[in-house]
Amino acid sequence: LVWEANPKNVNISKYRVYLVEGQKRSLLAEVFSAPFKYWHRKVEKDRKYQYLVVAVGSLDREGDEASISVK
């Protein structure tokens, strides 16, 4: 996954990447600096993966999430 910072966001300290499976979301990584990317290794080639990327502010509060589907 590769993304760019939203220029409207201020005081962002990191991004969290979650894997979504049904109603469960699991934290995969926290990314602290550009370039903003995360490599999910050892995935199944015939499976669809759902991710959330969330900006986290300096007070450790999460903003709106961006949803990404990959197959």
Side-chain angles (χ1 to χ4, degrees):
L1 305 173
V2 178
W3 64 94
E4 293 183 15
N6 181 340
K8 294 181 182 179
N9 289 343
V10 293
N11 298 323
I12 300 303
S13 62
K14 61 188 169 188
Y15 288 87
R16 290 185 180 140
V17 179
Y18 293 95
L19 176 63
V20 179
E21 298 175 287
Q23 298 298 315
K24 180 183 173 192
R25 74 181 200 174
S26 304
L27 180 64
L28 295 176
E30 292 185 331
V31 179
F32 293 91
S33 61
F36 301 114
K37 63 173 79 174
Y38 173 74
W39 295 87
H40 190 180
R41 302 192 184 273
K42 299 182 182 178
V43 296
E44 298 172 32
K45 69 177 187 172
D46 295 331
R47 179 177 166 195
K48 181 179 179 181
Y49 290 86
Q50 182 75 29
Y51 301 96
L52 298 176
V53 176
V54 183
V56 180
S58 57
L59 299 176
D60 207 42
R61 294 182 59 176
E62 292 187 350
D64 293 336
E65 54 200 32
S67 179
I68 304 163
S69 294
V70 178
K71 182 167 181 169

